[in-house]
Every structure is written in structure tokens, then in C-alpha cells.
Amino acid sequence: MATKSKAASSVSPTAQSTPASDTVLRVTQLRSGIGCKQNQRQTLLALGLRKIRQTRDWPDTPQVRGMIHTVRHLVAVEEVEPS
């Protein structure tokens, strides 16, 4: 029977979901998801983008960065300081 290593168990389950900094990413949809792959359309919806020129602010986390990378050809991203 294999046991878990001490290093793997000491990592917090929320370590990657906490923001790395106070930076906020402003994501704006520039192009339509029509004709794109299913996962790209679903990623736009998960980001809260349903219309062109719609903007949402998201904390700068690895998960959000990955979602933005999936639809990088459809959106524009800018870093803003939280208000």
C-alpha cells in the first residue's frame, strides 16, 4: 500500500485558487464565439462574457489565466488595480 508523501499533504487545497496579487484582470470580449470550438464557447460563458464588448473583472489567478489563454483570440485583457 502506497502512502502519501509529506510534501503533497502539506499543500493547502486552496493554494492555487487564492489570488497571487491584488491585481485584477479586465477581460473584454472582442469577437464572437460563433464558429469556435465548444470548449471555447463554454469558456466565454464561464468568464461571464455573452456579448461583444462586454467586460468583466476577474482576480489574477492561475485558473482565470488559463481560461483567458483558451479564448485569447476572442478577448482583450488589461491589468487594473482594484478600486
Side-chain angles (χ1 to χ4, degrees):
M1 201 182 249
T3 60
K4 291 184 179 181
S5 68
K6 198 172 211 180
S9 64
S10 65
V11 175
S12 171
T14 61
Q16 291 186 358
S17 63
T18 57
S21 65
D22 290 337
T23 307
V24 174
L25 299 175
R26 181 164 290 156
V27 184
T28 304
Q29 183 175 351
L30 298 178
R31 297 183 61 200
S32 172
I34 295 173
C36 293
K37 294 180 181 178
Q38 179 77 22
N39 68 321
Q40 293 170 348
R41 290 193 305 266
Q42 290 175 341
T43 301
L44 283 175
L45 292 176
L47 285 170
L49 301 173
R50 289 165 176 75
K51 298 178 180 182
I52 295 175
R53 291 185 298 278
Q54 188 173 11
T55 300
R56 289 287 311 265
D57 291 342
W58 288 94
D60 188 6
T61 62
Q63 291 82 6
V64 173
R65 291 266 181 177
M67 291 168 53
I68 291 170
H69 181 76
T70 301
V71 294
R72 64 188 177 273
H73 59 289
L74 303 174
V75 299
V77 181
E78 57 183 307
E79 291 184 3
V80 295
E81 292 298 320
S83 55

